[in-house]
Amino acid sequence: MKKIIVIGAGGQIGSELVPFLRNIYGSANVVAADLDIKKCARLGEDGPLEELNALDKNRFIEVVRKYKSDTIFNMVALLSATGEKNPELAWDINIGALTNSLNIGRDNGCAVFTPSSIGAFGVDTPKDHTPQDTLQRANTTIYGVCKVTGELLSDYYFHRFGMDTRSVRFPGLISYVTLPGGGTTDYAVDIYYEAVRKGAFTCNIKAGTYMDMMYMPDALNAVVKLMEADPAKLVHRNSFNIASMSFEPEQIAAEIRKHLPDFKMAYDVDPVKQAIADSWPNSMDDSCARMEWGWIPAYNLETMTTDMLAKVKEKLNND
Ligand code: SER
């Protein structure tokens, strides 16, 4: 991995993945590409930034060839709740970006990383310690259907064309740089902003609903560690369970109260998001990632909360 392109660079993950990769591989070697380069103009300050609609195959090929990319990070996706508002659009965007990344990657000698998610599991999946290889049939979101398709297709390109495709199943990602857009796990980001702003939060997910979550620094480390892993050691490829913490709304609220004792939480449950959350695992078993490429997270709910509250406070003070 020497010449990298990140598509969907302006999104929640891309906007942090680009600087993270630039620190390791050098700014000139990491191209940020996004449909809307105005929204991520700061990524153009210290490295290449290209306007790219990932569904525009010719433009995608042009950018990959211009920079002689050897690795594509496909971070383009509509998330789970947004996807349910317009399933056709979600399929077109999520699968369009996937197939273009795979075909262009194959034809230009690139490795391809496309994230999967806890959303790749469904109502028939074992909920606790969800195994690496398990049932994924009863998926109830178009987002999840796209993620399962991504896993299958990426493995197919590996077996059929010998392409270096790799992926992780991300938990809900918590970060303070760019907000996630329209995910079921977004409450676990919003709660920190509202705690700092108002000292109160209305949660759209029911108390007692457990989901896997992860702090962005761990997610970024996972991506690089997997992409740099010795391929001979990879039994799996698309896609590895990775986990660091699983909690329900009352637990994150209690953790916030250790810093802001007056913090109050109420509930106004969103039935669409709740049904999605109920179909996803309570906690994934990530032992294959630990064994095959040495995955190990650094943050838990306590350390993440301390850092998130400090960073969100700083961010809101500077706004
Ligand atoms: N965070 C995503 C969502 O909630 C799941 O991967 O849609």
Side-chain angles (χ1 to χ4, degrees), residues 12 79-81 116-119 143 147 170-173 180 182-186 276 280:
Q12 188 201 10
L79 293 184
S80 57
S116 187
S117 154
I118 49 175
Y143 175 74
K147 288 302 183 195
F170 279 132
L173 294 181
T184 301
T185 57
D186 292 9
I276 296 173
W280 288 353

Side-chain angles (χ1 to χ4, degrees), residues 4-9 14 17-18 21 30-34 71-73 75:
I4 298 165
I5 176 164
V6 178
I7 65 166
L17 182 61
V18 168
L21 292 170
V30 180
V31 181
D34 200 277
T71 306
I72 299 170
F73 284 91
M75 314 312 285

Side-chain angles (χ1 to χ4, degrees), residues 111-127:
V112 172
F113 176 92
T114 300
S116 187
S117 154
I118 49 175
F121 297 115
V123 290
D124 59 349
T125 306
K127 286 240 166 286

Side-chain angles (χ1 to χ4, degrees), residues 68-255:
K68 300 185 172 53
S69 309
D70 62 25
T71 306
I72 299 170
F73 284 91
N74 166 26
M75 314 312 285
V76 173
L78 286 196
L79 293 184
S80 57
T82 307
E84 290 317 293
K85 288 188 188 140
N86 194 340
E88 243 177 83
L89 181 70
W91 174 266
D92 286 349
I93 291 176
N94 296 5
I95 298 300
L98 170 74
T99 53
N100 277 347
S101 297
L102 288 171
N103 290 327
I104 293 165
R106 177 196 56 199
D107 298 344
N108 293 277
C110 305
V112 172
F113 176 92
T114 300
S116 187
S117 154
I118 49 175
F121 297 115
V123 290
D124 59 349
T125 306
K127 286 240 166 286
D128 296 306
H129 310 295
T130 303
Q132 172 65 41
D133 301 311
T134 187
L135 289 169
Q136 293 177 272
R137 289 288 311 182
N139 208 298
T140 52
T141 64
I142 192 67
Y143 175 74
V145 170
C146 292
K147 288 302 183 195
V148 176
T149 305
E151 293 187 5
L152 292 172
L153 207 56
S154 298
D155 270 347
Y156 173 77
Y157 274 62
F158 167 66
H159 291 298
R160 177 74 173 76
F161 305 115
M163 249 181 102
D164 190 0
T165 56
R166 307 182 189 193
S167 170
V168 295
R169 292 181 182 130
F170 279 132
L173 294 181
I174 295 165
S175 63
Y176 56 85
V177 174
T178 306
L179 288 171
T184 301
T185 57
D186 292 9
Y187 90 85
V189 175
D190 298 338
I191 193 170
Y192 289 109
Y193 281 85
E194 295 301 283
V196 172
R197 271 194 202 115
K198 301 184 194 146
F201 178 63
T202 304
C203 187
N204 55 25
I205 295 292
K206 248 190 239 162
T209 310
Y210 281 85
M211 285 186 276
D212 273 303
M213 302 280 181
M214 183 174 287
Y215 200 29
M216 189 61 88
D218 276 333
L220 301 176
N221 271 323
V223 170
V224 169
K225 207 162 168 56
L226 172 60
M227 293 308 279
E228 291 291 2
D230 175 359
K233 300 220 168 94
L234 299 181
V235 180
H236 297 85
R237 277 181 168 267
N238 302 284
S239 180
F240 283 95
N241 286 0
I242 55 168
S244 62
M245 63 186 96
S246 164
F247 56 77
E248 54 93 18
E250 288 297 318
Q251 288 173 314
I252 185 170
E255 203 53 53

Side-chain angles (χ1 to χ4, degrees), residues 41-93:
R42 104 196 132 74
L43 297 176
E45 284 164 17
D46 69 333
L49 173 65
E50 293 282 345
E51 189 170 339
L52 171 66
N53 176 351
L55 306 186
D56 179 346
K57 199 168 177 183
N58 291 333
R59 170 78 181 134
F60 197 161
I61 294 170
E62 184 185 306
V63 178
V64 163
R65 294 204 175 140
K66 176 174 169 191
Y67 291 96
K68 300 185 172 53
S69 309
D70 62 25
T71 306
I72 299 170
F73 284 91
N74 166 26
M75 314 312 285
V76 173
L78 286 196
L79 293 184
S80 57
T82 307
E84 290 317 293
K85 288 188 188 140
N86 194 340
E88 243 177 83
L89 181 70
W91 174 266
D92 286 349
I93 291 176

